[in-house]
Amino acid sequence: EKGSFRHFMEKEVHEQPESCQRTFSAYLDPVAQSVKAEIKASVDFTQVTRIQIIACGTAYYAGCIAKYAFEKIAGLPVDVEVASEFRYRTPAMMAGTLAMAVSQSGETADTLAALRWCKAEGLQTAALVNVHTSTMAREADILWPTHAGPEIGVASTKAFTAQVSALLSLVVAAAAQRGRIDATEEARLVQVLLESPGLISQALTMDAEIFKMTFDLSRARDVIYLGRGAMYPLALEGALKLKEISYIHAEGYAAGELKHGPIALIDENTPVVVIAPDDELFEKTASNVQEVAARGGRVIMITDAPQKVPALSGDAAKTLKIVTGPSCDPFIAPLVYSVPIQLLAYHTAVHKGTDVDQPRNLAKSVTVE
Ligand code: M6R
């Protein structure tokens, strides 16, 4: 069933051009260059004043990525919270809030309990799930399916990018319904989304380059991931992936937070992975790279703009390794740059000889709290 792949995770990483394409096919109309009418009919975003996303683990990070896009493009406020906190803290909910559970399995106990609480509060509820017959799918008012197909690896990969694909499609729907974009801009954004499976394929060709980085990484005790904007939740996701399957301690930080504490951790033994596609925040992230390199930190920078990275002098120059990824519209960068992050964790774990598909202490579906 794994075909020529060594692990299900590796297979699932490589399936992402198709799994994202399948998900887009359910949400987008390539001929009309718009979000499908049936998706727009499933919700009236003009009546929604706020979205509350509830999720756990990787699904939570997909929600955090969506927040950046919903607020910027659709002008819609979004809160994202891990379900285990949300369900026990008596949150203050306003009428007009759409509660959205994001879950691969649709069975995660905390997410389900949070969804039920929202429903009992009288809120409109939606389930964005990969298992279309799951409890969340049945109980929510709206079902927004992802089409990743069955995911076997405990570490979520293709389910994550399918979630991001569906969420970004919903951002376009919300922006169009709310009059934040016209038909021309909707067509452009749909076009950009439909280009992402091809760019994910291109990102998969980074495999050999990423592999080379992981000899070093597999010897580290701690690894720091940095990103700005939507690359910040991707940094958190990258750190989670590495922790889960390689058992190396990793932390993700917003790059701008570096000087508020984590920079104290930087030394030659703590590799720093920087996710920095070329966008409006690139220069700021590049200057964080300089700060790290100047303190002897070893940096793996993943970017499509190596020519824009300021030249480093002396020893600092030797500590910076750049891996070049495909150029893309910033709207889909979280999808495209998921791939090198997943490959980095995967190859590191393979070097360490861990059980990649069944990491210790973890279950695929957490149906108890
Ligand atoms: O099935 P769900 O998406 O609700 O699962 C949520 C988390 O348990 C899950 O994403 C977990 O963090 C993964 N092992 C991450 O790779």
Side-chain angles (χ1 to χ4, degrees):
E1 252 195 280
K2 282 180 282 204
S4 57
F5 295 103
R6 288 163 294 176
H7 299 95
F8 281 106
M9 180 185 175
E10 187 183 32
K11 176 171 178 264
E12 288 161 0
V13 167
H14 285 267
E15 271 170 17
Q16 290 177 108
E18 297 83 46
S19 50
C20 289
Q21 179 55 54
R22 273 198 304 275
T23 302
F24 286 129
S25 298
Y27 285 78
L28 306 176
D29 182 336
V31 178
Q33 300 261 295
S34 65
V35 178
K36 278 190 166 177
E38 67 216 60
I39 296 296
K40 285 181 173 165
S42 68
V43 61
D44 181 357
F45 277 114
T46 64
Q47 298 303 305
V48 174
T49 53
R50 184 177 159 272
I51 298 176
Q52 175 68 59
I53 296 179
I54 32 199
C56 299
T58 287
Y60 167 73
Y61 297 134
C64 294
I65 288 169
K67 174 185 169 82
Y68 284 86
F70 268 116
E71 299 211 349
K72 181 175 185 182
I73 297 168
L76 192 51
V78 176
D79 285 310
V80 194
E81 191 166 348
V82 287
S84 56
E85 283 302 308
F86 181 90
R87 68 177 287 201
Y88 289 121
R89 75 173 177 88
T90 322
M93 288 287 115
M94 283 180 295
T97 298
L98 168 68
M100 195 197 301
V102 179
S103 173
Q104 189 286 126
S105 62
E107 304 293 349
T108 300
D110 284 323
T111 310
L112 179 60
L115 181 72
R116 284 178 173 159
W117 184 87
C118 291
K119 209 172 172 188
E121 285 289 295
L123 300 178
Q124 188 180 26
T125 56
L128 196 130
V129 291
N130 196 44
V131 179
H132 308 163
T133 52
S134 58
T135 312
M136 284 180 220
R138 283 198 309 273
E139 293 194 10
D141 302 321
I142 306 168
L143 168 60
W144 282 320
T146 54
H147 295 269
E151 190 179 61
I152 310 293
V154 165
S156 185
T157 54
K158 64 173 182 169
F160 172 69
T161 48
Q163 285 160 354
V164 175
S165 301
L167 286 162
L168 294 181
S169 302
L170 291 170
V171 166
V172 180
Q177 285 184 351
R178 293 163 62 81
R180 300 287 292 215
I181 55 170
D182 59 14
T184 313
E185 181 62 3
E186 179 174 358
R188 189 189 74 81
L189 290 172
V190 166
Q191 190 57 44
V192 166
L193 289 174
L194 291 173
E195 279 164 11
S196 51
L199 289 160
I200 291 171
S201 292
Q202 274 188 45
L204 285 164
T205 66
M206 299 164 82
D207 197 43
E209 275 298 296
I210 292 280
F211 174 74
K212 280 188 220 154
M213 303 291 145
T214 54
F215 290 95
D216 203 23
L217 214 56
S218 63
R219 286 192 289 267
R221 205 189 64 175
D222 311 282
V223 179
I224 293 174
Y225 285 72
L226 299 176
R228 280 177 189 262
M231 296 303 119
Y232 164 43
L234 195 56
L236 298 172
E237 165 62 6
L240 176 65
K241 216 91 296 171
L242 190 73
K243 278 183 263 212
E244 275 190 296
I245 60 170
S246 77
Y247 315 149
I248 295 173
H249 170 240
E251 294 297 330
Y253 287 101
E257 273 289 293
L258 195 61
K259 52 174 74 62
H260 299 287
I263 200 162
L265 298 171
I266 304 295
D267 64 15
E268 61 284 358
N269 300 316
T270 310
V272 180
V273 178
V274 183
I275 317 165
D278 194 7
D279 58 19
E280 60 202 20
L281 299 169
F282 178 82
E283 277 77 17
K284 297 211 175 294
T285 312
S287 83
N288 296 128
V289 167
Q290 288 182 299
E291 286 160 8
V292 172
R295 284 161 183 81
R298 288 178 289 145
V299 180
I300 299 170
M301 186 177 189
I302 304 172
T303 182
D304 57 328
Q307 75 288 355
K308 285 172 72 177
V309 181
L312 298 169
S313 55
D315 285 347
K318 287 184 234 139
T319 63
L320 172 63
K321 296 203 168 69
I322 297 179
V323 190
T324 306
S327 290
C328 63
D329 190 290
F331 185 44
I332 55 166
L335 280 174
V336 178
Y337 282 80
S338 290
V339 172
I341 286 305
Q342 296 163 347
L343 290 171
L344 205 61
Y346 175 72
H347 289 302
T348 305
V350 171
H351 283 312
K352 295 210 72 173
T354 55
D355 187 346
V356 171
D357 285 332
Q358 288 285 336
R360 67 186 182 201
N361 309 339
L362 288 171
K364 180 67 187 160
S365 188
V366 185
T367 52
V368 291
E369 6 174 355

